[in-house]
Amino acid sequence: MSRLVAFAAIQGAYNIVSKVEGAFKRAMDKYGPNQPLAFPNTAYYLPVIYSVLGIKVEKLADAEAVLKQCKELLPPHIKGPIHVPYLGHTLDAGMAAILAEEVFEAIRYVEDPDFYLLGEDCDVENGKIWLGAADDTIMRKRGVEFVDGSAPGFAAIVGAAPNPEIAKMIAEDYQKKNLYIFMCANQSGTTFAEQLVEAGVQVGWGTRLVPFGPDISAAVFALGFANRAAMAFGGVKPGDYATVLKYNKDRVFAFVNALGEVNAEWAANAAGAINWGFPTIADTDIPEILPTGICTYEHVVSSVPHDQMTAKSIEVRGLKVAVTEIPIPVSYGPAFEGERVRKDDVYLECGGGKTPCCELVQIADMSEVEDGRVEVIGPDIKDVKPGSRLPLAVVVQVAGRKMQEDYEPILERQIHHLVNYAQGIMHIGQRDIAWYRIGKQAVEKGFTLEHIGKILHAKYHQDFGAIFDKCQVKIYTDEKKVNEMVPLAQKAYKTRDERIEGMTDEGTETYYSCTLCQSFAPTHVCVISPERTGLCGAYNWLDCKASFEINPTGPNQPIQKGDTLDAKLGNWKGVNDFVYKASRQSVSSYNFYSIVYDPMTTCGCCECIAAVLPMCNGVMTVNRDYTGMTPSGMKFTTLAGTIGGGNVTPGFVGHSKYNVTQRKFIAGDGGLKRLVWMPKMFKDEIRERLMKRGEEIGIPNFIDMIATEENGTTEDEIYAFLEKVGHPALTMESILG
């Protein structure tokens, strides 16, 4: 490798560590050693330091040990003509720089708490775009996309392109390939993120264009995201640096794009990224590191033209990306799913409570369907003025020898994602509460309502072609026709819901596995039955059945449950045998219906986590969107970090939101009557189903007996509330046996 690269990286690391030492000393003098030091809402402390060194940085004084390690990692400066093995020294220098920068950014949160925005969205109108460290809610929500493959990796872009137009070209090319783009560092007075804003591109987590910060030190937020994925989804233990780094190389496909002049501090950060197996691809003529070793292929590649930047980066990282062209006039891909069409940008709006709207997928006879036919019945976009509203009914008819009624809702549920993938189109909700917004820029490019049908036809064939042969779409905007379709669609929804509601675990001999999350949590095996949906909330039994039909070698495999070993707890020999093999011999048995005795494994993708509250003789559950404290003494992030690596953890279990109101929810421990606390936002979300289940268990007012954070967040407070309302858990046998 080049002596010049090593020289620059090592010099840059010395500069960074020295700068952070100065900031640390000033902070100690100003705030004192007990000043709390943390990134907002994370159970992983400062995640790079925690994962690599195992040090829990909770207050300013804790950072002193980290900086001491940084100084010990700094290698000697390169002097004279004597040859040394540069790569090892360069890697150490890079690691020292990264660890020090994480301390620096944590101190920034203390000194300027408003520097970074909280949440997923940028405030472009007020000139605030920097999002800083992703909290654990964002990390788990977005981390799922790295698990299921909808986000194959991320590009960490430092610096700025020559102009906003080139920045937009590079960003949209990555978006089309479904990658995330993490941005930091300035070049010649601007940044890549600011260039995108200038070019009219929406930035934020929703569009996968994430502006972390204006300085090179913000690169540590990208590595922190990757390291938390290793701990949360992969179950890697803090301090096991070798496994953390290998996990990221093998499972998190990331790379650095250095745009513009590369100084010594940038070189140090690039060297740091190589430790994780993340190579750097630059547009300038910098010394290269071409031999393989730490990274999959080359470590540093230079002088890459901007129109070849994405292709070269993907090649060097060894990333496999599948992109399918859809016959529409706007860009298309999952990266556009979170894009918002704001009120002033709307050309046409449908549904959302403002006009009648519904979506329906129906099976049809082969003779009734003309494959690829798309009809718009009523006014299309060209027939209305900007800002107009229309009623809408999207009716898809599919036909095929393998098509079944059970597949209708699976296909219908995909409409939300598939339409949202079109740039400039926003879709919210589903069924008869769907809401469409079509932006002015999309219309300017030629988008019409007919293109919604073209999207569904193309993607259904691509993703579900194994189960049907022909597909046609009718899009109604004529008010009379839409009003005729809505009650027909509502009748179909009701019939489907009753079909899955009527299924029981006892009456079903075949369950289904889901090992999708094993790419991040290798020992996690989800088994899905009619009365226990997948813990991520994305799969029920019918979904898995359809998935297996579509992809017989995929993650959803049929499992013959076999002999019943324990009917109360939900334990079957066939399930245990499958789980033992699929978990790489790590899990020999677990119970479907218990939180106390060998509960099912949990991964970081779970929608909710339940925990036993011994004093209350019951359980609490918390959804991942709730960021407050719970009566277990832990927030969701801490709970997930403790049990979310594919572990069997008695007293805790991950589950879906829907599972709470399924009849088998912790049935082996007493069932729904054990539920004593949940966040108000979650309670309100499933209120209707909770009320129905309360009536079924003979306690019509049960929903009012469940405490929320408004009643307390400690066991003592919750116990007092339970006594006041006469909660049944207090008179049940001990939950701990």
Side-chain angles (χ1 to χ4, degrees):
M1 65 169 284
S2 170
R3 181 176 182 276
L4 291 174
V5 175
F7 178 84
I10 292 170
Q11 183 60 55
Y14 270 92
N15 295 346
I16 290 168
V17 173
S18 177
K19 180 175 69 174
V20 176
E21 272 196 306
F24 171 73
K25 289 175 182 176
R26 290 191 298 272
M28 285 285 280
D29 291 340
K30 184 175 181 180
Y31 302 106
N34 293 320
Q35 166 65 42
L37 201 65
F39 293 153
N41 189 31
T42 176
Y44 297 101
Y45 307 96
L46 303 187
V48 176
I49 292 168
Y50 185 46
S51 60
V52 173
L53 301 179
I55 296 175
K56 298 179 180 179
V57 176
E58 299 177 88
K59 57 184 186 297
L60 197 53
D62 297 334
E64 188 169 11
V66 177
L67 293 177
K68 181 181 178 182
Q69 292 246 26
C70 291
K71 292 174 74 173
E72 291 175 355
L73 278 169
L74 289 174
H77 286 284
I78 294 178
K79 297 178 182 179
I82 300 174
H83 173 78
V84 295
Y86 299 132
L87 185 57
H89 284 175
T90 305
L91 294 174
D92 287 346
M95 183 62 77
I98 297 296
L99 296 171
E101 284 177 332
E102 194 165 47
V103 173
F104 179 81
E105 288 292 349
I107 292 173
R108 171 175 275 174
Y109 270 101
V110 174
E111 294 182 328
D112 191 354
D114 297 324
F115 187 85
Y116 293 121
L117 294 168
L118 298 178
E120 297 194 8
D121 299 322
C122 300
D123 185 5
V124 175
E125 291 181 0
N126 293 310
K128 300 194 72 174
I129 64 172
W130 306 117
L131 297 177
D135 66 26
D136 284 355
T137 301
I138 294 172
M139 192 278 294
R140 293 186 182 284
K141 177 181 177 181
R142 301 293 169 178
V144 172
E145 296 169 355
F146 288 85
V147 171
D148 65 19
S150 59
F154 69 78
I157 297 183
V158 299
N163 56 58
E165 291 71 31
I166 291 176
K168 180 180 180 182
M169 176 196 71
I170 293 172
E172 289 189 346
D173 203 11
Y174 279 132
Q175 284 181 303
K176 291 174 186 177
K177 294 172 173 59
N178 307 330
L179 278 77
Y180 273 84
I181 298 92
F182 295 156
M183 299 171 281
C184 70
N186 63 81
Q187 184 70 251
S188 302
T190 188
T191 63
F192 194 85
E194 289 168 319
Q195 289 179 318
L196 293 181
V197 171
E198 185 179 343
V201 178
Q202 286 188 30
V203 295
W205 281 97
T207 56
R208 302 193 180 188
L209 301 172
V210 186
F212 277 141
D215 303 316
I216 187 62
S217 55
V220 78
F221 297 139
L223 294 174
F225 183 91
N227 281 25
R228 279 188 288 173
M231 292 185 286
F233 297 109
V236 181
K237 301 301 180 186
D240 185 359
Y241 66 88
T243 304
V244 165
L245 298 179
K246 187 176 187 304
Y247 182 95
N248 276 279
K249 177 187 175 182
D250 293 342
R251 297 176 185 272
V252 181
F253 291 92
F255 49 86
V256 179
N257 283 165
L259 303 181
E261 181 183 351
V262 176
N263 59 35
E265 292 191 6
W266 283 28
N269 277 266
I274 291 173
N275 282 283
W276 277 261
F278 301 165
T280 292
I281 296 87
D283 63 348
T284 55
D285 184 16
I286 62 173
E288 296 185 311
I289 309 177
L290 298 180
T292 58
I294 306 301
C295 297
T296 304
Y297 299 117
E298 296 86 359
H299 298 75
V300 177
V301 178
S302 70
S303 302
V304 177
H306 296 113
D307 61 352
Q308 299 175 28
M309 182 64 68
T310 58
K312 188 64 176 178
S313 298
I314 289 168
E315 173 200 334
V316 172
R317 185 59 182 94
L319 180 59
K320 304 300 180 185
V321 176
V323 179
T324 301
E325 293 294 328
I326 304 297
I328 59 175
V330 297
S331 297
Y332 188 85
F336 301 107
E337 184 178 10
E339 182 185 27
R340 296 181 180 180
V341 177
R342 304 185 190 281
K343 185 176 181 181
D344 293 340
D345 299 325
V346 175
Y347 191 99
L348 177 65
E349 187 170 30
C350 305
K354 299 174 177 63
T355 68
C357 187
C358 67
E359 298 168 336
L360 181 65
V361 172
Q362 293 178 308
I363 190 170
D365 291 334
M366 294 283 280
S367 60
E368 297 174 352
V369 178
E370 180 183 335
D371 189 47
R373 182 179 183 183
V374 179
E375 293 181 85
V376 179
I377 302 163
D380 203 336
I381 290 175
K382 61 181 173 56
D383 303 313
V384 299
K385 296 179 180 179
S388 296
R389 292 174 178 167
L390 285 174
L392 182 69
V394 178
V395 180
V396 184
Q397 293 178 298
V398 290
R401 292 178 177 83
K402 295 184 179 180
M403 186 62 194
Q404 302 175 25
E405 285 188 356
D406 287 347
Y407 301 159
E408 290 176 344
I410 286 88
L411 295 176
E412 193 173 280
R413 195 176 298 130
Q414 302 305 311
I415 294 176
H416 168 71
H417 301 287
L418 300 182
V419 171
N420 249 333
Y421 289 173
Q423 187 179 30
I425 316 301
M426 187 179 82
H427 183 285
I428 295 174
Q430 57 183 335
R431 289 188 169 185
D432 56 347
I433 59 170
W435 180 16
Y436 288 73
R437 273 185 168 180
I438 298 172
K440 294 175 182 176
Q441 290 186 351
V443 176
E444 289 172 2
K445 292 179 180 178
F447 191 88
T448 68
L449 293 177
E450 182 182 6
H451 289 117
I452 293 174
K454 290 184 179 296
I455 289 170
L456 297 180
H457 173 261
K459 290 299 291 180
Y460 276 179
H461 269 294
Q462 178 189 339
D463 297 343
F464 301 97
I467 60 170
F468 74 90
D469 300 310
K470 297 195 289 186
C471 167
Q472 70 181 20
V473 183
K474 294 181 180 181
I475 298 173
Y476 297 94
T477 58
D478 178 84
E479 186 170 5
K480 181 181 178 181
K481 290 288 187 181
V482 173
N483 287 334
E484 290 175 359
M485 288 305 307
V486 168
L488 294 176
Q490 291 170 335
K491 182 179 179 181
Y493 305 152
K494 186 173 184 293
T495 301
R496 293 174 191 161
D497 291 343
E498 289 172 349
R499 190 158 67 238
I500 186 65
E501 286 287 341
M503 295 183 67
T504 65
D505 285 359
E506 289 85 356
T508 306
E509 292 303 314
T510 303
Y511 295 165
Y512 285 92
S513 69
C514 185
T515 54
L516 192 63
C517 297
Q518 282 196 344
S519 60
F520 273 67
T523 62
H524 174 61
V525 184
C526 201
V527 179
I528 297 168
S529 68
E531 296 186 272
R532 196 186 196 285
T533 55
L535 55 80
C536 67
Y539 287 85
N540 64 29
W541 186 88
L542 286 174
D543 295 331
C544 293
K545 181 175 182 287
S547 174
F548 175 69
E549 291 281 346
I550 296 164
N551 182 10
T553 61
N556 304 120
Q557 294 295 309
I559 303 171
Q560 298 304 311
K561 65 183 185 181
D563 295 339
T564 300
L565 304 180
D566 193 316
K568 179 182 177 182
L569 298 180
N571 192 281
W572 298 274
K573 185 179 186 304
V575 172
N576 289 341
D577 291 345
F578 182 92
V579 169
Y580 182 67
K581 293 178 182 177
S583 68
R584 298 166 172 78
Q585 294 77 49
S586 296
V587 180
S588 59
S589 172
Y590 59 46
N591 297 309
F592 272 46
Y593 312 142
S594 180
I595 187 175
V596 178
Y597 305 103
D598 294 334
M600 190 176 286
T601 57
T602 297
C603 81
C605 301
C606 58
E607 284 191 307
C608 311
I609 294 175
V612 172
L613 299 179
M615 180 189 299
C616 299
N617 201 34
V619 303
M620 55 145 275
T621 185
V622 56
N623 56 306
R624 70 181 178 196
D625 301 320
Y626 177 71
T627 59
M629 183 54 69
T630 74
S632 69
M634 294 179 278
K635 297 181 180 181
F636 181 92
T637 52
T638 306
L639 286 164
T642 303
I643 73 168
N647 301 316
V648 172
T649 314
F652 304 88
V653 72
H655 60 90
S656 69
K657 293 178 179 179
Y658 187 75
N659 185 229
V660 174
T661 52
Q662 290 185 289
R663 295 180 182 86
K664 288 296 196 296
F665 177 66
I666 60 169
D669 306 315
L672 187 63
K673 292 179 182 179
R674 292 286 191 187
L675 185 58
V676 299
W677 187 94
M678 66 193 309
K680 184 178 184 299
M681 63 188 297
F682 184 19
K683 188 177 182 180
D684 290 343
E685 182 178 343
I686 63 171
R687 174 171 291 276
E688 187 176 331
R689 299 202 307 273
L690 268 177
M691 292 175 67
K692 181 179 178 182
R693 284 287 291 128
E695 293 175 359
E696 289 179 359
I697 63 176
I699 312 175
N701 65 331
F702 181 71
I703 188 171
D704 299 322
M705 296 182 177
I706 304 170
T708 70
E709 70 273 18
E710 293 181 340
N711 307 113
T713 55
T714 68
E715 276 211 73
D716 288 332
E717 292 171 333
I718 303 310
Y719 185 84
F721 174 83
L722 301 180
E723 282 193 314
K724 180 181 176 181
V725 299
H727 195 290
L730 298 183
T731 58
M732 296 172 71
E733 63 181 0
S734 172
I735 191 170
L736 300 178

